[in-house]
Amino acid sequence: YPQSPYRADAKLGIGDSYLGEGNAEGQVMAINEFKEFLAYYPTHDRAHYAQFQLGMAHFKQMRGSNRDQTETRDAITEFSTYVQRYPNGPLIADAKAKLRESKDRLSESEYNVGYFYLRSRMSIIGAVERSIGSPGSSRPTLSTAGATPSTTKWPRRSCSSVSRRRRSRIWTSSWPTSK
């Protein structure tokens, strides 16, 4: 019944039932239902709920920080969309909490990769780039974890063909107070 006034609520109900199954297949189907709902009914009274549930479907699929972070990035995107579109929505506190948790998971993953690069001496540049973080980012970095230029043991040679002068420029720009 495409013209039924209950069609929008039925789509949300189907998405909720898929999400309630608790398995990966159900979560993928729930993502599809919530995306369709938002595409067909972007101005519906419960569009905020569909956006939040879309973020939750991705959130429930997030893996550990040592695994692929695709779902984490998708959860961040969906929760950010919720916060941006519905700043006064009834689920804003929950959305912000889940957004923070998703960002923390992604930060932890970035930190672990940078630490692996540093420890395995694969790429000094990769370790430094992951340790500095972007301006305004609250993600953990090597410097916030207690690593300073004096406590970090950088190898004399990296596996890449980066010159010492280039490493020195990166080093001094990463930690301006270092000598």
Side-chain angles (χ1 to χ4, degrees):
Y1 301 98
Q3 302 303 323
S4 172
Y6 302 112
R7 183 169 186 222
D9 291 332
K11 259 209 167 322
L12 281 180
I14 291 170
D16 283 338
S17 66
Y18 281 137
L19 198 57
E21 287 179 9
N23 58 22
E25 183 182 346
Q27 290 166 351
V28 170
M29 297 296 286
I31 289 170
N32 185 45
E33 288 296 324
F34 292 127
K35 281 185 177 182
E36 281 184 9
F37 179 88
L38 290 170
Y40 293 139
Y41 308 104
T43 59
H44 193 272
D45 291 340
R46 295 184 61 197
H48 68 90
Y49 177 78
Q51 184 67 51
F52 180 79
Q53 288 297 80
L54 182 57
M56 284 304 296
H58 287 294
F59 185 82
K60 289 181 178 182
Q61 291 187 48
M62 288 184 347
R63 295 176 159 209
S65 63
N66 58 346
R67 299 291 194 163
D68 178 36
Q69 296 299 306
T70 302
E71 291 298 329
T72 306
R73 287 184 184 92
D74 291 342
I76 289 170
T77 300
E78 299 305 336
F79 286 128
S80 296
T81 301
Y82 182 91
V83 169
Q84 184 180 32
R85 285 187 186 165
Y86 311 106
N88 299 322
L91 301 169
I92 191 72
D94 294 333
K96 285 182 178 180
K98 296 297 183 186
L99 178 61
R100 176 80 264 151
E101 194 173 335
S102 301
K103 285 182 177 181
D104 288 347
R105 175 83 52 91
L106 187 59
S107 299
E108 185 179 350
S109 175
E110 290 288 320
Y111 174 79
N112 288 340
V113 171
Y115 185 73
F116 170 77
Y117 283 156
L118 177 64
R119 193 182 62 196
S120 66
R121 300 179 182 194
M122 287 178 61
S123 171
I124 299 300
I125 302 298
V128 169
E129 286 175 354
R130 290 185 187 266
S131 71
I132 331 176
S134 58
S137 170
S138 61
R139 77 179 201 197
T141 63
L142 293 177
S143 59
T144 60
T148 63
S150 59
T151 62
T152 305
K153 294 187 178 184
W154 294 86
R156 289 186 61 81
R157 285 198 150 147
S158 67
C159 296
S160 62
S161 61
V162 178
S163 69
R164 288 183 187 208
R165 186 176 303 159
R166 185 170 175 205
R167 281 189 297 209
S168 176
R169 275 198 313 266
I170 292 170
W171 184 256
T172 56
S173 67
S174 300
W175 284 289
T177 59
S178 66
K179 296 185 184 346

